[in-house]
């Protein structure tokens, strides 16, 4: 079996433009019968809809899978409703998810949806999963930049001489997050989100990070891990060899894909949940 990549352009009234998105249909995809689970996989800073396809063996991993993977794009923005007024979170939640459910044979419940990502995308995946637990049953984060709402100044200044270095400058960062203390920063503060109580149970969480990643990134992943454990979240956490790069992500990807499939498969479908005893 072979996975297939489809490229779509979807209108986004919320963003005021059409947005391109890649959809990877797994080898086991069928347009009929039981719906397929969907993973929304978010790129890192400066990426696009092709980033996961170019830098990982994602398509090969999905050859024997039944999970659809959706690859949206936000470039140097985050999938949040940002300080500048761009509503990327609303676009994903209210435009992209319904469009995918309409066009493909999906399982349109929290048992059928997960969100994941790398770095910027890994952090946003956790934010969205905690903010929308009725929508997503699982989250998978690789080296999530979780403390972006807390960042002040440029903690990566010493790396700016490397032309391949991809972390936002102060100006680019505050364009998304606003100045310290902004409403946007408070809205997405990871530790506030970790402590929220909602009507729906929180998603199952997978986090990993490279042991040779930036010290700041490794430390924040450990702090978020500890906060999640303290709050009693369902978490699987790993530290693996590697840095803050796509080589690390490609090696870790099979584990996160397996986690998503396993944990979503353990959730009741909409029909099963409706018949569970109260």
């Amino acid at each position: 079996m072979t996975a297939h990549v489809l490229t779509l352009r979807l209108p986004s009234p919320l963003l005021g433009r059409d947005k391109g998105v890649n959809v990877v249909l797994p080898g086991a995809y069928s347009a009929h019968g039981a719906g397929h689970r969907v993973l929304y996989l978010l790129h890192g800073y400066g990426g696009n809809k092709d980033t996961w396809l170019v830098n990982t063996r994602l398509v090969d991993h999905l050859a024997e899978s039944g999970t659809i993977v959706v690859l949206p794009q936000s470039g140097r923005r985050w999938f949040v409703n940002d300080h500048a007024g761009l509503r990327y979170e609303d676009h994903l939640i209210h435009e992209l998810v319904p469009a995918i459910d309409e066009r493909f044979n999906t399982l349109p419940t929290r048992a059928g949806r997960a969100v994941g990502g790398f770095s910027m995308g890994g952090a946003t995946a956790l934010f969205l999963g905690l903010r929308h637990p009725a929508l997503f049953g699982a989250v998978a984060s690789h080296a999530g930049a979780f403390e972006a709402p807390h960042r002040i100044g440029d903690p990566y200044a010493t790396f700016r001489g490397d032309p391949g270095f991809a972390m936002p400058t102060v100006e680019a960062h505050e364009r998304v997050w606003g100045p310290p203390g902004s409403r946007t920063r408070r809205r997405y503060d990871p530790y506030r989100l970790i402590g929220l109580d909602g009507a729906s149970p929180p998603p199952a969480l997978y986090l990993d990070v490279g042991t040779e990643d930036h010290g700041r990134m490794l430390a924040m992943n450990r702090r978020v891990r500890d906060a999640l454990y303290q709050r009693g979240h369902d978490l699987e956490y790993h530290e693996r060899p590697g840095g803050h790069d796509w080589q690390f992500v490609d090696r870790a990807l099979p584990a996160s894909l397996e986690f998503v499939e396993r944990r979503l498969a353990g959730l009741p479908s909409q029909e099963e949940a409706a018949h569970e005893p109260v």
Side-chain angles (χ1 to χ4, degrees):
M1 296 184 287
T2 304
H4 298 281
V5 180
L6 303 178
T7 300
L8 309 176
R9 290 201 67 81
L10 303 176
S12 172
L14 289 173
L15 295 175
R17 71 194 79 166
D18 289 351
K19 292 296 294 182
V21 58
N22 283 326
V23 179
V24 186
L25 296 181
Y29 178 76
S30 172
H32 308 285
H36 293 265
R37 293 176 172 89
V38 183
L39 168 63
Y40 292 83
L41 201 50
L42 311 181
H43 58 70
Y45 182 72
N48 57 45
K49 61 183 173 29
D50 298 322
T51 301
W52 284 91
L53 303 177
V54 171
N55 291 288
T56 74
R57 293 166 288 174
L58 175 65
V59 173
D60 294 338
H61 295 319
L62 296 176
E64 304 296 325
S65 174
T67 300
I68 300 168
V69 175
V70 179
L71 305 172
Q73 58 185 354
S74 64
R76 295 178 182 272
R77 299 290 179 168
W78 293 55
F79 275 94
V80 300
N81 295 338
D82 71 19
H83 181 73
L86 286 176
R87 297 169 60 189
Y88 270 100
E89 176 181 355
D90 287 348
H91 161 66
L92 192 149
I93 299 299
H94 300 299
E95 294 179 332
L96 183 57
V97 168
I100 295 299
D101 286 340
E102 181 179 353
R103 289 176 180 238
F104 300 99
N105 181 24
T106 69
L107 178 61
T109 69
R110 73 184 302 269
R113 292 193 202 92
V115 58
F118 166 53
S119 191
M120 176 183 88
T124 311
L126 179 65
F127 300 162
L128 296 182
L130 295 178
R131 282 171 59 81
H132 303 279
L135 201 64
F136 299 109
V139 169
S141 171
H142 299 288
F146 302 117
E147 292 183 357
H150 291 194
R151 174 179 152 177
I152 298 174
D154 187 2
Y156 303 104
T158 58
F159 299 96
R160 295 292 170 201
D162 180 356
F165 183 71
M167 290 285 186
T169 63
V170 173
E171 180 183 13
H173 188 77
E174 294 194 356
R175 190 178 301 125
V176 171
W177 294 105
S182 72
R183 182 178 180 182
T184 302
R185 291 180 185 245
R186 293 194 299 273
R187 182 187 304 126
Y188 295 100
D189 183 317
Y191 303 106
R192 185 187 71 82
L193 293 175
I194 287 168
L196 289 179
D197 290 316
S200 298
L205 305 174
Y206 171 100
L207 275 62
D208 66 22
V209 65
T211 51
E212 288 76 54
D213 205 325
H214 301 292
R216 181 174 183 271
M217 196 69 65
L218 185 57
M220 75 174 67
N221 271 262
R222 290 172 175 170
R223 284 191 289 268
V224 166
R225 171 203 63 190
D226 293 345
L228 288 165
Y229 279 141
Q230 184 176 15
R231 186 65 180 179
H233 283 268
D234 179 3
L235 170 64
E236 181 176 318
Y237 176 85
H238 299 278
E239 293 184 6
R240 309 180 187 280
H244 198 80
D245 51 47
W246 284 101
Q247 290 77 21
F248 165 77
V249 177
D250 191 39
R251 291 192 299 269
L253 187 55
S256 63
L257 292 174
E258 187 276 334
F259 173 87
V260 166
E261 293 192 351
R262 170 168 46 88
R263 299 311 300 267
L264 288 185
L267 293 174
S269 68
Q270 189 174 32
E271 293 76 14
E272 292 168 337
H275 291 90
E276 285 185 341
V278 177

